[in-house]
Amino acid sequence: MTKKIDIFDSTLRDGSQGEGISFSVQDKIHIVEALDDLGVNYIEAGNPGSNPKDMEFFQKAKELKLKTARLVAFGSTRRKDIACSEDANLTSLLSAETEDVCIFGKTWDFQVTDILHATLDENLEMIRDTCAYLKGKGRNVMFDAEHFFTGYAANKDYALASLNAAVEGGASVLCLCETKGGAMLGECADAVKAAFEKFGDKVKIGIHTHNDSGLAVANSLVAVENGATHVQGVLLGFGERTGNANLSTIIANLQLKMGYECIPSDCMEKLTPICHRIAEIANIPLEAGMPYVGQNAFAHKAGMHIDAVLKNPFAYEHITPETVGNERVFLMSEVAGRSMIIEKIKKFDSSIQKSDPVVAEIIAKVKQLEHEGYQFEGADGSFELLVRKLIGKYQPFFNLHYYKVSGEKPLVEEGLYSFAHLKVDVEGNTRVAAGEGKGQINALDVALRQALEPFYPAVNNIHLTDYKVRVLDGKSATASRVRVLIESTDGTDSWTTVGVSCDLVEASWFALVDSFEYKLIKDLEKRFNKLM
């Protein structure tokens, strides 16, 4: 029989401690809904005793109708010399009214004596009392054994005694926390095995790792192999310091490679889309190289690799991308071969064959441009326009006469005011337009929109979502060539374009023009296809 692993997501609690992460109450609601859609078992949603925002969330969350997930409120054991019934944090924990609560307590003797300034016996009583009190209030209690692996290495007997106190108090889960993130695989295996042998017949053993040594995922898998059936982490792995265990990787590894059930099988194909959804809510880019769900997880660049994958993906892919809701990507570059070119071209001209002379022409042009500093693997929009120009499926939507940009520092107000002035021909008409912006590129963007909008209203739907500048030759100082990448969206599709020049404004102009023309040509083809 397939062994079930409980997945406990802490994006909203431990994940929120990561640099640059800040969730509004509504953000937290949306993340809960996304995680529930994925099919995780538990969602640790915050500490109601720590701040008003978490308390507000728990009040609003009572109205949620979740399909699979159970909300968990987080807190600590009672304070020293205070009864549970008089502890403000425990009162707040109960007010969240979740059926499940997770409390953390000390299992490392150093932390007890030097940080809590308590005796070892006092700490055991704090753990036992708190678990018993919460269980008596009808809660399912999970105990986070903080610093367990460090404590186990320093004083094995006391670390295990701390777990025993939680069991005696009525905890149903002992989650072993690798709080400092420094344990090696063997250390993790030995400690989990010891806990499982002593308590595994009474309660579930859990694992909670951090990534300070780059082993958070590996240690989580090792823990499962040694008896853990409850895995905590953060879906995208962010968190304090170097982050938490990445649950998207753990779930896929356990379920697809190791024969465990973590989420419903029909939810596995939601993994990538939900990771993207949560990254959007958190307002962070999803790391391109993240296993299984990253943009580059199934990306191929070398020509020989691409040729083999087109013949049989099993040659270079450990799973099919669709299994986790991702897709295969072929990166355009100077090392890509004819197979790659054909695969790209077929998206808009299925008649081109591998032996056609234009394929060699395209490859030669790509190699030349990449030698000059262009990079097409991250700029599919510009690559498609390049191919269209070479195969005769391109038409310019406007022609530039000139542009002029300037900037000045105002004497009174703060900031830099920039201005752009340009002249273009559009459908036989000459347009002169001007724009003001926060920087010269922004002003140029505004001016171009002013010139094109009467003829192409769709430009108002184009939004620039990212702008990157890379200096290609630092030795030339301010005369260095630069590469500009612009990512754009119309609310439905996203595309990236590139420009290269010794002049930052010109490089930005090239990328900006490609961005607009890519959108306009796509819209033109959609209208044509509807008429056919």
Side-chain angles (χ1 to χ4, degrees), residues 453-465:
E453 192 273 334
F455 303 93
Y456 310 119
V459 298
N460 288 325
N461 299 326
I462 301 174
H463 303 286
L464 307 188
T465 57

Side-chain angles (χ1 to χ4, degrees), residues 260-310:
Y260 295 93
E261 180 188 344
C262 300
I263 60 176
S265 58
D266 59 352
C267 289
M268 187 59 72
E269 64 186 20
K270 299 178 183 179
L271 188 61
T272 299
I274 286 176
C275 285
H276 280 274
R277 192 190 315 173
I278 289 178
E280 280 294 314
I281 297 169
N283 195 30
I284 61 170
L286 184 67
E287 184 183 335
M290 191 174 289
Y292 293 101
V293 301
Q295 180 181 342
N296 293 342
F298 302 94
H300 306 277
K301 181 174 179 179
M304 291 178 63
H305 284 207
I306 292 168
D307 188 59
V309 168
L310 288 170

